Amino acid sequence: MSNPTLNEFEVRLQKHHDELRWLYMELYNNGSMFYELVENLRACYAERSNDLKGIDRSRETDPDWYRRNDLLGMMLYIDNFGGTINGVREKLDYIQKSNVNYIHLMPFLDTVPERSDGGYAVKDFRKVQPWLGTMEDLEELTSACHEKGIQVCMDFVMNHTSEDHEWAVRARNGEGEYMSRYFFYDSWEIPGEYEKTVPQVFPTTAPGNFTWLPECGHYVMTTFYPYQWDLNYQNPRVFNEMMYNFLYLANRGIDIIRIDAVPYIWKELGTQCRNLKQVHTIVRMMRMICEIVCPSVLLLGEVVMEPEKVVPYFGTVEKPECHMLYNVTTMATTWHTVATRDTTLLREQLDKVFHLPKQYVFLNYLRCHDDIGWGLDYDSLLRFGIQERPHKAYLNNFFRGYEGMSISQGELYNEDPVTGDARLCGTTASLCGLETALIAEDAEAITSSINTIVMLHAYMLTQSGIPVLYSGDEIGQLNDETYHNDENKAEDSRYLHRGKMDWIAAARADEEGTTENRIFTALSRLEILRRNENVFSCAADVWIIETGDRAVLGIGRYLKGETLVGLFNFSEVDRRVCLNDTAHYMDLITGEKRSIRSITIPAQGFFWLKKV
Ligand code: GLC
């Protein structure tokens, strides 16, 4: 009997071949390297397991599979969460109990612990950090996850390798072939030119964009830490080899690949070396490569930039690039709203997002492993007399508990000694004041922090896209100060919110009345409602409702005859709003009937109201 799937690779290749070749030749003008690429795509397809090919086929026939309202993510560090990969596998029940069906495993590939940037300095793309497990363990975990309907996401750190990667070691030894895979200069002439236009990512912890290598008498480009060497994508060997690594990882059963720091991958003298048009050519090629070899895999772009820079990474509807992007400005604007209790800027920001094509899927989040950079729309804030520098200082003071009545606990990140700019770290719970409230044993303050945590999650779940929880937030985990005593971490305050999962606290989620239980059960109720109500699907129309009160955010959703109104009170006092709407609504949480012609939203509270 003939195999009906024999030719699926060729069919997919045919669909994209001409465009792929065109883009490849535009960048590299190298036919033999393109031929090699295609041969390797074929080999990677052949190597892909039948189970994964089955998933590919089913998702090809259901391209909206990730655009509904049933995905809920959680990002976690393997060691903090389960000790090892096998440990994570043993904890899948907890993942399911948390209503999560997509886990982002933070970087776990081989790295040197003293120089790892949280795993974002990869020594070997085909080896797991030995203390976390093996590639076989990873494959067992991904297939165990698939059996339970859980998707697995991992990072593909493509902008750089660690200085301990084989290529870097050989480059340092003077092998020209490998030096050409990075940016090597024997004098300061060209690096000095770059420094005139390229901003700094880590101005305090890793100033500058180049590192001097005394043993080989060269500078090497290091946009991030000195031990993270930027790859030179002008060299087709780099692109090809990195694509083979990418497909190798996809073939281990990874469903979602987060392309780390993608705006930085192409460098051009005289520019900022961010978001150049060649970056988009490469991402478009990656999208086609996925669709040819592993069409079930989603690309999640990490573009931590202003909205005008983020949206182009979706590509166009005809020529898509990433499937998903972080809703980063919304996240930062959310915390600005927490501090100011004024939803004006957040409404404007959300309004822009709500007007984008529905094909564009955002990953919504409150906190992640990185700092909060205050990338707000300052032109808009200026209309209200709010200026960037003093406002950032205000936010940083607020979230360190220095401002007015604030009981937040956070720490600064990468305070720039020249510009005075700084970003911020801390867990959701600590930023919402829970840590201070618990230490003070102040029951009222504890309740108000819990209310804020729950309201923020409800608001996050109301947006279209894929909500992703930061592990520990579901039980209100607090900051972890212990990193101050670890010499490999002390300099990097992002470790403040990268603490070990507190399993004793997690067990308290089952004990009625505990802080953990109050947060966990409230979030759980919301997550289940979201999953069961189609109006939360990405296909819904979404709009901002004018509430007449700056402290109250209103979001409307409509899908196939169903309407949902979400009202979120960011202030510490009850607010009454009067909406010009005579319809009857049902409170999704309590089942009570409500009218929104006049409704009081409790301090730091919210409503999810469905039209009846
Ligand atoms: C991304 C990661 C961040 C890391 C950087 C360098 O921005 O989120 O944690 O430091 O890339 O790889």
Side-chain angles (χ1 to χ4, degrees):
M1 220 174 72
S2 72
N3 181 348
T5 62
L6 196 60
N7 282 322
E8 72 185 354
F9 173 84
E10 302 303 331
V11 172
R12 291 171 185 155
L13 175 63
Q14 215 168 31
K15 179 171 169 213
H16 292 300
H17 179 275
D18 291 355
E19 189 194 343
L20 185 60
R21 185 167 199 283
W22 181 278
L23 294 182
Y24 193 96
M25 296 306 268
E26 197 177 79
L27 274 195
Y28 300 124
N29 194 22
N30 189 325
S32 63
M33 286 296 285
F34 180 73
Y35 179 80
E36 183 206 278
L37 176 72
V38 173
E39 284 307 296
N40 275 283
L41 299 191
R42 199 170 271 118
C44 290
Y45 168 80
E47 191 247 14
R48 195 161 168 80
S49 76
N50 283 332
D51 285 352
L52 296 176
K53 285 178 182 166
I55 301 179
D56 290 337
R57 277 171 220 134
S58 74
R59 289 186 186 160
E60 261 185 326
T61 58
D62 180 20
D64 283 335
W65 71 272
Y66 63 99
R67 296 199 184 109
R68 291 189 272 262
N69 46 309
D70 51 355
L71 274 183
L72 176 68
M74 179 182 276
M75 45 192 302
L76 55 91
Y77 283 92
I78 293 172
D79 50 352
N80 286 341
F81 186 80
T84 60
I85 293 182
N86 290 338
V88 172
R89 204 177 61 203
E90 283 158 24
K91 297 250 182 301
L92 291 183
D93 288 347
Y94 178 79
I95 300 283
Q96 291 194 300
K97 178 180 162 194
S98 309
N99 306 306
V100 166
N101 54 5
Y102 147 6
I103 52 173
H104 175 180
L105 303 172
M106 296 303 292
F108 55 80
L109 295 177
D110 203 14
T111 186
V112 174
E114 301 81 52
R115 302 184 291 274
S116 94
D117 183 23
Y120 285 97
V122 177
K123 183 179 169 197
D124 185 340
F125 290 93
R126 300 189 183 212
K127 189 174 167 212
V128 171
Q129 288 170 26
W131 57 95
L132 295 180
T134 62
M135 274 298 168
E136 289 71 39
D137 296 342
L138 178 69
E139 285 186 85
E140 278 177 35
L141 174 63
T142 57
S143 67
C145 283
H146 291 159
E147 270 169 36
K148 292 180 183 286
I150 300 172
Q151 319 300 322
V152 183
C153 169
M154 78 174 284
D155 284 85
F156 183 56
V157 186
M158 66 181 297
N159 176 69
H160 42 261
T161 72
S162 98
E163 64 173 348
D164 303 288
H165 188 280
E166 187 202 339
W167 298 355
V169 172
R170 298 180 76 161
R172 198 194 284 271
N173 284 338
E175 285 187 53
E177 159 65 25
Y178 293 91
M179 290 167 83
S180 73
R181 297 186 187 190
Y182 299 95
F183 296 89
F184 268 72
Y185 302 100
D186 57 9
S187 80
W188 183 246
E189 196 185 337
I190 297 174
E193 284 304 304
Y194 272 112
E195 290 292 14
K196 290 181 185 161
T197 56
V198 183
Q200 305 189 50
V201 179
F202 298 143
T204 323
T205 49
N209 290 288
F210 290 86
T211 300
W212 172 246
L213 306 172
E215 62 286 16
C216 69
H218 275 83
Y219 290 95
V220 65
M221 187 186 278
T222 53
T223 303
F224 293 87
Y225 280 109
Y227 51 80
Q228 289 165 313
W229 293 11
D230 288 69
L231 285 168
N232 182 359
Y233 279 89
Q234 302 204 8
N235 180 345
R237 174 56 57 207
V238 168
F239 176 78
N240 282 23
E241 294 294 336
M242 289 301 282
M243 287 308 101
Y244 309 154
N245 286 332
F246 172 87
L247 293 170
Y248 170 83
L249 294 167
N251 280 352
R252 307 281 74 74
I254 302 297
D255 303 273
I256 302 163
I257 298 195
R258 174 186 183 273
I259 34 182
D260 179 61
V262 64
Y264 301 83
I265 60 177
W266 193 272
K267 277 81 178 177
E268 230 30 279
L269 209 54
T271 72
Q272 293 206 333
C273 295
R274 277 133 171 85
N275 307 303
L276 298 177
K277 74 174 195 305
Q278 292 86 346
V279 174
H280 290 280
T281 306
I282 289 179
V283 180
R284 174 70 189 140
M285 289 201 286
M286 289 175 78
R287 174 71 179 249
M288 287 189 279
I289 287 171
C290 270
E291 287 183 10
I292 294 167
V293 181
C294 47
S296 62
V297 171
L298 300 181
L299 291 179
L300 163 62
E302 193 229 358
V303 185
V304 180
M305 303 264 160
E306 56 272 38
E308 314 72 90
K309 304 279 169 42
V310 173
V311 172
Y313 285 87
F314 282 119
T316 61
V317 175
E318 296 76 32
K319 295 189 174 174
E321 295 177 22
C322 293
H323 297 83
M324 276 196 293
L325 293 168
Y326 286 86
N327 202 348
V328 56
T329 303
T330 301
M331 181 279 293
T333 310
T334 302
W335 289 105
H336 149 93
T337 313
V338 171
T340 59
R341 290 79 127 190
D342 183 338
T343 65
T344 311
L345 186 67
L346 187 58
R347 292 179 196 196
E348 291 180 8
Q349 165 62 21
L350 289 171
D351 197 49
K352 285 185 202 150
V353 175
F354 295 164
H355 278 93
L356 293 171
K358 287 177 190 162
Q359 286 88 343
Y360 294 178
V361 175
F362 279 105
L363 186 156
N364 298 311
Y365 63 117
L366 295 173
R367 293 294 295 116
C368 71
H369 68 296
D370 278 331
D371 49 290
I372 306 173
W374 297 115
L376 308 174
D377 182 348
Y378 290 100
D379 289 340
S380 189
L381 283 176
L382 206 52
R383 297 190 335 254
F384 307 100
I386 298 177
Q387 289 174 350
E388 178 167 347
R389 281 282 290 279
H391 188 58
K392 280 186 181 169
Y394 167 78
L395 295 171
N396 284 328
N397 286 337
F398 182 92
F399 287 111
R400 285 183 296 163
Y402 298 168
E403 193 64 53
M405 303 290 282
S406 165
I407 55 164
S408 290
Q409 290 231 2
E411 284 183 18
L412 292 188
Y413 177 68
N414 263 278
E415 187 176 14
D416 188 328
V418 182
T419 63
D421 207 25
R423 286 121 76 175
L424 192 101
C425 295
T427 67
T428 302
S430 291
L431 295 182
C432 289
L434 187 60
E435 191 167 336
T436 313
L438 286 171
I439 292 169
E441 295 180 20
D442 178 339
E444 216 175 291
I446 294 174
T447 297
S448 112
S449 330
I450 292 177
N451 289 345
T452 309
I453 295 168
V454 176
M455 182 274 289
L456 288 176
H457 280 90
Y459 140 77
M460 197 248 296
L461 293 168
T462 311
Q463 297 169 47
S464 287
I466 301 178
V468 176
L469 307 174
Y470 189 48
S471 166
D473 278 1
E474 75 283 9
I475 52 163
Q477 198 152 303
L478 307 177
N479 289 340
D480 173 30
E481 308 282 343
T482 61
Y483 83 95
H484 288 292
N485 310 323
D486 181 334
E487 58 172 340
N488 294 330
K489 297 179 177 167
E491 296 255 286
D492 193 332
S493 55
R494 290 177 297 179
Y495 286 100
L496 183 66
H497 51 251
R498 294 178 183 174
K500 276 212 175 318
M501 176 71 183
D502 182 345
W503 288 106
I504 296 174
R508 285 197 294 269
D510 297 328
E511 272 171 54
E512 187 97 20
T514 61
T515 310
E516 293 80 7
N517 172 266
R518 291 166 72 185
I519 299 173
F520 192 91
T521 49
L523 298 192
S524 206
R525 197 175 302 130
L526 297 172
E527 291 152 2
I528 293 168
L529 278 170
R530 178 180 182 276
R531 193 170 65 196
N532 293 339
E533 296 286 341
N534 291 333
V535 74
F536 288 103
S537 152
C538 294
D541 295 331
V542 193
W543 65 95
I544 289 292
I545 296 172
E546 179 47 68
T547 62
D549 182 339
R550 284 196 190 178
V552 180
L553 174 73
I555 300 179
R557 301 187 64 89
Y558 173 86
L559 182 77
K560 295 185 186 152
E562 294 189 353
T563 304
L564 177 104
V565 169
L567 296 170
F568 309 90
N569 180 357
F570 279 78
S571 86
E572 62 278 47
V573 288
D574 297 355
R575 300 290 225 186
R576 189 166 78 99
V577 300
C578 301
L579 301 176
N580 187 14
D581 183 342
T582 52
H584 294 291
Y585 285 87
M586 186 190 72
D587 185 325
L588 275 184
I589 290 154
T590 63
E592 287 165 74
K593 287 232 169 84
R594 289 192 193 277
S595 152
I596 55 174
R597 288 184 67 186
S598 168
I599 185 167
T600 301
I601 307 134
Q604 287 130 346
F606 70 97
F607 284 118
W608 267 359
L609 305 169
K610 193 174 167 186
K611 205 182 235 176
V612 284

